[in-house]
Amino acid sequence: MRRVALASAVGTTIEWYDYFIYSTAAALVFGSQFFTTLEPASATLAAFATLGVGFLARPIGGILWGHFGDRVGRKAMLIASLLLMGFATVGVGLLPTYDQIGIAAPVLLLVLRLLQGLSAGGEWGGAALMAVEHAPAGRRGLYGSYSQIGVPAGLILAQLVFVAVGVLDDEQFQAWGWRLPFLFSIVLVAVGLFIRLRIEESPVFKALKTDQVRARLPMLDVLRERPRELVIASVSFIANTAIGYVFLAYLLSYGTSVLEVDRTTMLIVVIIGSVSWLVSIVASARWSDSIGRKPVYLVGSVLLVVWPVPFFLLIDTRSTALMILSVIVLTIGLGASYGPQSALFAEMFDARYRYSGASFSYAVGAVLGGGFAPLIATWLQTSTGTSLSVSGYMVVVAVISLLAVMAIRETRRR
């Protein structure tokens, strides 16, 4: 179990590190590297648009990895998704800029981003199921959280790397320093691959294979037998991913470009919030093993409804202490609505099509929520001149997900 937990946590950390350095670079540097013909504000919008386009590939990845994960096995798909993400990330680090190859630069950036989206569409489902399906009775929530902590852990690692390259002056950072976090992915992928090759296949999938009850077309079986769960699971994730990406991608851009706060200070604020997010994920997942998935989800969902307005009011003070307080409370809500998710989504779908159902729900929720959240937030703030418009957007998506969470049927004792 320790090896499986480590494989789930380390693997998703590496995957999301790759994903988040793209988000950070989109906020800090991609506008000036790949969209130099645009005004600075428009260039930032274009960079965030490529971030969102990557999300469109995630449902396709969820279907693709889910199909083979339910047919071939969880472990093989985990390895494939890790290799694909590593290839795409290193490719971004080696990509020539617009000044060097013209329009081909943003086009290739978009292609590599789509490959990242395909990988992320299947990564989470495999990591979550490997952890949950290996878990002892009564501890699926806790063990499922190991795949969940990869998100804040990957974010922390990504921000620390950008803090490290922040010692470079602006000219060095713009010229070549921003590439280093992407190239560092080679080392991380090698570590993750070593760990994942040493774990055993899920015992649940082994049983399916032995009993010859694997679904022939798992996604079609999900649509036919579990349409309600598919919709509820997808919608319940909209708020978490939308507000999560406002925190991890937009906040950095907003703090440095609009509030004119020092880049290192904003990175530190995001890192502290990520630590809070990680701790709350584990705590809430463990709590869900005691009282159920739905009550914990409700706590997090309600907090995401009531906190967005105070969140930006505190951020706008430019006070480091108040900004830290703001992100800590927000990430507690994010953790409570994310920690139990692996166990919940796994329990909502039968084993023979579980990879497909869980991955597709996660991917669709990510597209509807997080796909264009930084872009929407940037547009709202630019159009209205106030961060409260972004708060309003966060409240709307939080209410939508809260309604879905209220419709969830408790799954803990399944």
Side-chain angles (χ1 to χ4, degrees):
M1 276 307 308
R2 285 195 299 268
R3 185 177 297 173
V4 171
L6 180 63
S8 293
V10 172
T12 53
T13 297
I14 295 169
E15 286 268 355
W16 290 108
Y17 163 82
D18 290 352
Y19 221 61
F20 290 146
I21 57 174
Y22 189 101
S23 302
T24 304
L28 296 177
V29 74
F30 278 174
S32 62
Q33 296 292 318
F34 298 103
F35 303 98
T36 53
T37 59
L38 302 176
E39 295 294 327
S42 298
T44 300
L45 284 172
F48 279 144
T50 65
L51 176 67
V53 167
F55 277 84
L56 299 179
R58 290 176 66 161
I60 300 173
I63 294 173
L64 179 65
W65 302 120
H67 177 83
F68 289 104
D70 286 323
R71 292 289 304 165
V72 178
R74 320 314 197 196
K75 178 180 175 179
M77 295 305 101
L78 279 181
I79 294 171
S81 64
L82 182 65
L83 290 174
L84 180 59
M85 180 66 83
F87 169 80
T89 303
V90 173
V92 174
L94 297 174
L95 190 62
T97 65
Y98 186 93
D99 291 339
Q100 294 171 320
I101 61 172
I103 192 65
V107 170
L108 290 173
L109 179 68
L110 187 62
V111 170
L112 292 170
R113 177 60 181 167
L114 288 171
L115 292 179
Q116 281 191 325
L118 282 174
S119 172
E123 161 63 26
W124 176 85
L129 296 193
M130 285 292 283
V132 172
E133 291 180 348
H134 274 92
R139 304 187 74 185
R140 290 195 295 256
L142 175 61
Y143 279 90
S145 70
Y146 289 111
S147 64
Q148 306 299 83
I149 64 175
V151 177
L155 177 58
I156 292 168
L157 183 59
Q159 305 300 349
L160 286 174
V161 171
F162 270 99
V163 168
V165 299
V167 300
L168 303 173
D169 59 42
D170 286 341
E171 184 177 349
Q172 292 173 320
F173 180 77
Q174 291 286 335
W176 52 268
W178 66 270
R179 298 180 183 274
L180 298 180
F182 292 91
L183 299 178
F184 180 59
S185 179
I186 296 176
V187 177
L188 299 179
V189 169
V191 173
L193 188 62
F194 172 76
I195 294 173
R196 287 192 167 178
L197 285 172
R198 299 180 65 216
I199 62 174
E200 295 184 5
E201 179 58 87
S202 157
V204 173
F205 182 79
K206 285 182 179 179
L208 291 174
K209 189 174 181 180
T210 299
D211 297 338
Q212 297 184 348
V213 293
R214 287 172 291 173
R216 181 171 170 270
L217 296 172
M219 195 64 227
L220 292 181
D221 288 347
V222 175
L223 292 171
R224 183 172 56 249
E225 298 180 21
R226 291 288 186 271
R228 181 182 185 275
E229 285 76 8
L230 203 63
V231 172
I232 290 175
S234 299
V235 177
S236 71
F237 187 44
I238 291 175
N240 186 280
T241 186
I243 295 174
Y245 266 85
V246 169
F247 162 67
L248 62 91
Y250 173 72
L251 182 60
L252 183 61
S253 173
Y254 176 74
T256 55
S257 62
V258 178
L259 300 182
E260 298 182 347
V261 177
D262 178 71
R263 183 176 68 195
T264 300
T265 299
M266 288 306 304
L267 285 170
I268 291 173
V269 169
V270 173
I271 289 171
I272 293 174
S274 302
V275 173
S276 169
W277 193 358
L278 190 154
V279 172
S280 64
I281 283 174
V282 177
S284 63
R286 189 168 185 174
W287 191 26
S288 77
D289 283 331
S290 300
I291 69 170
R293 319 298 180 208
K294 183 173 180 176
V296 178
Y297 244 76
L298 283 172
V299 170
S301 299
V302 170
L303 189 54
L304 292 182
V305 171
V306 302
W307 190 248
V309 173
F311 172 75
F312 268 108
L313 290 176
L314 293 175
I315 292 294
D316 288 345
T317 65
R318 298 181 174 85
S319 165
T320 302
L322 292 180
M323 288 193 294
I324 290 173
L325 172 64
S326 179
V327 299
I328 286 176
V329 176
L330 184 75
T331 52
I332 290 174
L334 290 172
S337 58
Y338 192 62
Q341 187 184 55
S342 288
L344 174 66
F345 281 21
E347 293 162 350
M348 291 175 78
F349 301 100
D350 292 350
R352 57 193 175 87
Y353 48 66
R354 180 173 292 152
Y355 202 135
S356 296
S359 294
F360 188 75
S361 298
Y362 188 93
V364 170
V367 171
L368 296 177
F372 294 94
L375 178 64
I376 293 171
T378 302
W379 176 78
L380 285 171
Q381 199 283 327
T382 303
S383 301
T384 64
T386 173
S387 61
L388 291 179
S389 61
V390 183
S391 296
Y393 161 66
M394 295 165 68
V395 170
V396 169
V397 295
V399 169
I400 292 172
S401 285
L402 176 60
L403 295 175
V405 172
M406 293 172 66
I408 288 174
R409 295 165 181 164
E410 183 56 58
T411 63
R412 177 171 63 101
R413 298 191 183 279
R414 287 183 183 173

